[in-house]
Amino acid sequence: MSSLNRTTEFEVIRSRKDKNGKPRYQAIIKKKGYPSKAKTFRSRKEAGQWEIKIKAAMQEGKYWDNSRARNCTLNEVIDRYIKEFLSKDSRNYRTFVGQLTWWKKYLGSYDIGKISSFLISQKLHYLSQQTNSRGKVASPATLNRYRSSLSCVFKAASDDWGMIKESPIPKVRKRKEPRGR
């Protein structure tokens, strides 16, 4: 009985034409243990460079397929987090949901994988400049609570659901809070 010799790797660069008749090159990589990956380029050289980069990342174990993150907005992730992790019986439920609703308003339309620490810092700075219903600006403690609420969502997205490789929150500095009473 003969055994079939199946290769675990497959890579190819296909030449194609776009709708205007210009040449395009599609690099395709298939490797056991990873999802198939394909991308189209304007030159064969670019396709080859991309192929080498992706294969090297796979070889080193540093490859991360973020296609799941591209399909989910922060709105969807926050809704899922509220549904799966928050208890309505918690005494902080309304506050926490209020903070997450604020994040949904300002970052909700972004794909989860496209949200950077810079963007989060920008929105926290914006929050620090706004006055509340009592005419006061948000304190450093309030900004840290908002940061923390978003951190919980990103932790679930990375650790529990595998949507992103790592959370951008650790790169966002906490504000220094005054000493307690």
Side-chain angles (χ1 to χ4, degrees):
M1 187 176 200
S2 68
S3 66
L4 294 173
N5 183 11
R6 296 185 181 187
T7 60
T8 58
E9 290 188 34
F10 170 79
E11 62 271 339
V12 67
I13 298 176
R14 287 188 196 156
S15 180
R16 311 178 89 171
K17 300 241 185 242
D18 67 5
K19 61 184 175 185
N20 299 324
K22 294 182 181 175
R24 295 288 183 249
Y25 300 91
Q26 184 182 36
I28 302 170
I29 301 173
K30 293 183 182 184
K31 184 174 171 118
K32 187 176 183 178
Y34 293 96
S36 297
K37 202 75 182 147
K39 193 168 179 181
T40 305
F41 298 90
R42 292 183 181 191
S43 74
R44 181 178 288 277
K45 183 179 178 184
E46 285 179 73
Q49 289 171 341
W50 176 81
E51 182 183 346
I52 289 168
K53 184 177 101 180
I54 297 297
K55 282 174 44 183
M58 288 176 171
Q59 199 74 19
E60 294 170 8
K62 294 180 180 177
Y63 174 74
W64 179 259
D65 180 30
N66 64 354
S67 58
R68 282 187 272 182
R70 276 187 240 121
N71 298 334
C72 266
T73 64
L74 184 61
N75 273 338
E76 296 165 344
V77 176
I78 287 175
D79 289 341
R80 182 176 174 185
Y81 179 83
I82 290 171
K83 194 182 304 177
E84 290 185 23
F85 288 99
L86 289 185
S87 168
K88 290 185 179 180
D89 299 333
S90 169
R91 65 185 180 115
N92 295 328
Y93 178 81
R94 285 184 49 195
T95 303
F96 206 76
V97 170
Q99 292 166 349
L100 293 177
T101 302
W102 187 89
W103 285 114
K104 284 173 69 171
K105 179 178 177 183
Y106 291 100
L107 293 178
S109 61
Y110 286 86
D111 289 341
I112 187 86
K114 302 270 191 219
I115 297 174
S116 66
S117 56
F118 174 75
L119 189 59
I120 295 167
S121 293
Q122 239 182 355
K123 297 304 175 188
L124 282 172
H125 179 73
Y126 174 76
L127 176 63
S128 73
Q129 304 300 310
Q130 301 304 305
T131 56
N132 63 16
S133 59
R134 291 179 286 177
K136 294 185 176 185
V137 294
S139 70
T142 300
L143 298 174
N144 287 341
R145 303 307 171 270
Y146 274 79
R147 178 190 174 278
S148 176
S149 67
L150 190 61
S151 177
C152 294
V153 172
F154 274 100
K155 185 161 179 52
S158 68
D159 296 352
D160 298 329
W161 304 322
M163 293 178 167
I164 54 176
K165 189 172 184 179
E166 61 183 18
S167 170
I169 300 291
K171 296 175 186 161
V172 178
R173 286 189 181 187
K174 287 183 180 177
R175 304 304 201 275
K176 185 172 181 172
E177 296 183 27
R179 287 183 53 188
R181 296 176 191 194

